[in-house]
Amino acid sequence: IYFFSLLNLGCGNTVANTQNVAQSVPNLPADQNELEALKSEIKAINTIRAVAASSNDLLTILDYYDDDIVCIREKKQTLIGKNEVINDSETWFEKYDEGYGVIFETAEVFGNNLLLTEVGKMIIKDKRGLIIDTINYMAIWKKTEGKWLCIREIKNFGPDVT
């Protein structure tokens, strides 16, 4: 009897703990319309980031990164925190000639109004409009104080187009 009482007590705690965890996990959107609205929000941010990247405006780009951003890149060191992103971005801007342009293409988003995962592509064009680089990415966005911030980013470069 003692064994079964302990077993029952343990199971009761497990059920309570499971309920607590379930309550702390945000619900996913109920329908596709909400996801489309959230995708539009991320696309609007990416439009701002594209204009900023095209004009070497690092401060505007960084405004959409969380202080504790983690950026995982193909065949390169993982960047942790805004300071490392700043140092890397300065050399990134030097890579492209004046007059280049950046376009973000958001393929899909999934999640909810607090936490989203975005799958997309960044396209870099030269001043003639020819594609010189593509970067595929997956970004995790978290809404903090009403503003979307990128908390994690995974990037890999597409095929060499030059």
Side-chain angles (χ1 to χ4, degrees):
I1 296 175
Y2 178 71
F3 174 74
F4 290 113
S5 296
L6 287 176
L7 184 62
N8 187 32
L9 180 61
C11 289
N13 286 342
T14 303
V15 171
N17 288 341
T18 303
Q19 289 172 346
N20 289 340
V21 169
Q23 289 173 354
S24 67
V25 175
N27 294 326
L28 293 179
D31 60 31
Q32 191 64 28
N33 290 334
E34 186 174 0
L35 277 178
E36 287 300 320
L38 294 170
K39 184 177 181 179
S40 293
E41 289 181 39
I42 297 301
K43 284 176 137 182
I45 290 169
N46 284 339
T47 298
I48 294 168
R49 290 176 7 142
V51 170
S54 298
S55 60
N56 295 345
D57 180 0
L58 182 57
L59 292 178
T60 298
I61 295 168
L62 290 174
D63 196 37
Y64 291 98
Y65 280 114
D66 186 71
D67 289 339
D68 298 322
I69 179 71
V70 175
C71 184
I72 300 169
R73 305 166 309 149
E74 179 182 28
K75 298 179 184 176
K76 291 186 176 185
Q77 177 183 348
T78 297
L79 303 174
I80 300 172
K82 274 190 181 180
N83 286 335
E84 288 189 12
V85 172
I86 290 169
N87 293 337
D88 184 71
S89 296
E90 290 170 352
T91 58
W92 187 82
F93 287 136
E94 294 169 3
K95 178 180 176 180
Y96 300 106
D97 293 332
E98 190 174 321
Y100 74 95
V102 176
I103 300 167
F104 284 92
E105 292 181 354
T106 301
E108 65 178 315
V109 298
F110 49 94
N112 57 48
N113 62 349
L114 299 175
L115 193 64
L116 276 177
T117 300
E118 173 197 11
V119 178
K121 182 189 315 185
M122 184 169 73
I123 301 166
I124 297 110
K125 295 182 177 186
D126 66 11
K127 59 185 165 190
R128 297 169 296 164
L130 300 174
I131 296 174
I132 55 174
D133 236 337
T134 59
I135 301 171
N136 301 302
Y137 67 89
M138 184 175 283
I140 300 175
W141 296 86
K142 180 180 177 184
K143 197 164 236 182
T144 304
E145 297 177 7
K147 180 178 181 177
W148 287 109
L149 296 176
C150 184
I151 60 172
R152 300 292 184 268
E153 192 171 59
I154 302 169
K155 299 177 183 181
N156 73 308
F157 285 84
D160 188 7
V161 292
T162 54

